[in-house]
Amino acid sequence: MTLTVYHSPKMRSLRIVWQLEEMGITDYELKLIPRADVYTYAKTPEYLAINPLAKFPSITDGDLTMVESTAIQEYLLDKYGPKDLAPERGTAAYGTFLQWLHFGEAGMNIYVIMLMAHTVLLPEEQRSKGMAIWAKGETQKCLNFLSDHLEGSEWICGEQFTAADISIGYMIYLLKIINQLDDAPEAVQAYWDRLKERPAFAKTSRLS
Ligand SMILES: N[C@@H](CCC(=O)N[C@@H](CS)C(=O)NCC(=O)O)C(=O)O
């Protein structure tokens, strides 16, 4: 296998390593950058040649380089299967799957990242209370949307755990890290309990 994955703990690259673990794929090269070195490493000419944005994740696979996490998730499913991390293409379930796979980054991330920035990431004098309140409200809307969708189902696509759960699961994991999950709807908290029990998640989140 020609696949190489660039990962640093707690970053979006966790989605990729978690998914590969769920898929049972182990014969790829994992470039694991310790958290303490990540910002220095990201600005090295070697890494900037792969990812000019100096962000994680990145993958290379033969001549291909990709730097967008949910797109990488889709690519890996298509190229390496098995297919049971996604419903059958062309079905309504596949539409639901795609929506949530992308909602994890395209829909929900902006609010979660703004909430992070204005509660923990930025130096205190640069934080905006108004922005934090706005981001919290929008994040709650996303969590209510998720809670309504789950409606007693174990996973986003019902009984089938899919890559969409990994995409959304990463957002929930970030909220947990910044202590913003305690007031999430009960169904979302129960969903998080199921996600963190998955051996593939537990193994990936322990990497350091
Ligand atoms: N939309 C991109 C976001 C990538 C991204 O922002 N990664 C963060 C880690 S979670 C990063 O590398 N941040 C470092 C920085 O912005 O300097 C994706 O999903 O891959």
Side-chain angles (χ1 to χ4, degrees):
M1 183 177 276
T2 53
L3 179 66
T4 302
V5 178
Y6 294 79
H7 172 51
S8 185
K10 299 195 169 74
M11 292 203 158
R12 276 165 184 70
S13 42
L14 185 139
R15 283 181 175 135
I16 312 309
V17 180
W18 178 6
Q19 179 169 316
L20 287 167
E21 194 65 37
E22 294 277 1
M23 292 167 80
I25 293 173
T26 51
D27 59 337
Y28 67 96
E29 189 181 353
L30 176 63
K31 297 247 193 216
L32 181 61
I33 320 309
R35 189 78 184 161
D37 303 337
V38 71
Y39 294 108
T40 316
Y41 179 81
K43 294 192 180 81
T44 58
E46 179 201 347
Y47 192 65
L48 286 173
I50 293 161
N51 189 337
L53 301 168
K55 291 186 190 294
F56 292 82
S58 302
I59 65 158
T60 59
D61 195 11
D63 292 338
L64 173 70
T65 299
M66 291 180 78
V67 300
E68 188 63 40
S69 61
T70 52
I72 295 170
Q73 286 189 264
E74 247 188 282
Y75 168 77
L76 293 175
L77 285 179
D78 280 348
K79 179 142 188 212
Y80 296 108
K83 303 289 180 198
D84 64 353
L85 276 188
E88 195 184 329
R89 274 182 180 273
T91 60
Y94 192 78
T96 301
F97 159 78
L98 272 187
Q99 170 179 293
W100 288 94
L101 178 73
H102 292 293
F103 185 72
E105 191 62 22
M108 186 168 178
N109 170 59
I110 180 73
Y111 310 120
V112 173
I113 205 75
M114 285 298 154
L115 185 57
M116 268 181 99
H118 291 277
T119 54
V120 294
L121 275 188
L122 289 171
E124 267 186 54
E125 69 279 6
Q126 289 175 27
R127 292 181 202 163
S128 151
K129 198 166 178 199
M131 189 64 98
I133 291 169
W134 170 77
K136 177 75 180 176
E138 294 298 323
T139 300
Q140 286 302 122
K141 277 191 214 166
C142 294
L143 295 177
N144 290 339
F145 180 44
L146 175 62
S147 171
D148 290 348
H149 175 75
L150 285 169
E151 251 193 10
S153 302
E154 213 175 342
W155 308 114
I156 281 167
C157 293
E159 288 176 10
Q160 185 184 11
F161 177 86
T162 67
D165 294 295
I166 295 175
S167 171
I168 296 292
Y170 177 73
M171 283 291 116
I172 308 288
Y173 170 64
L174 279 189
L175 289 170
K176 180 68 189 172
I177 290 175
I178 63 166
N179 292 318
Q180 295 285 347
L181 203 61
D182 290 350
D183 54 358
E186 235 173 78
V188 173
Q189 301 203 35
Y191 178 58
W192 166 242
D193 288 340
R194 290 192 289 280
L195 286 168
K196 72 178 188 225
E197 289 307 315
R198 294 192 72 84
F201 172 79
K203 183 171 172 193
T204 307
S205 62
R206 276 197 305 268
L207 288 172
S208 58

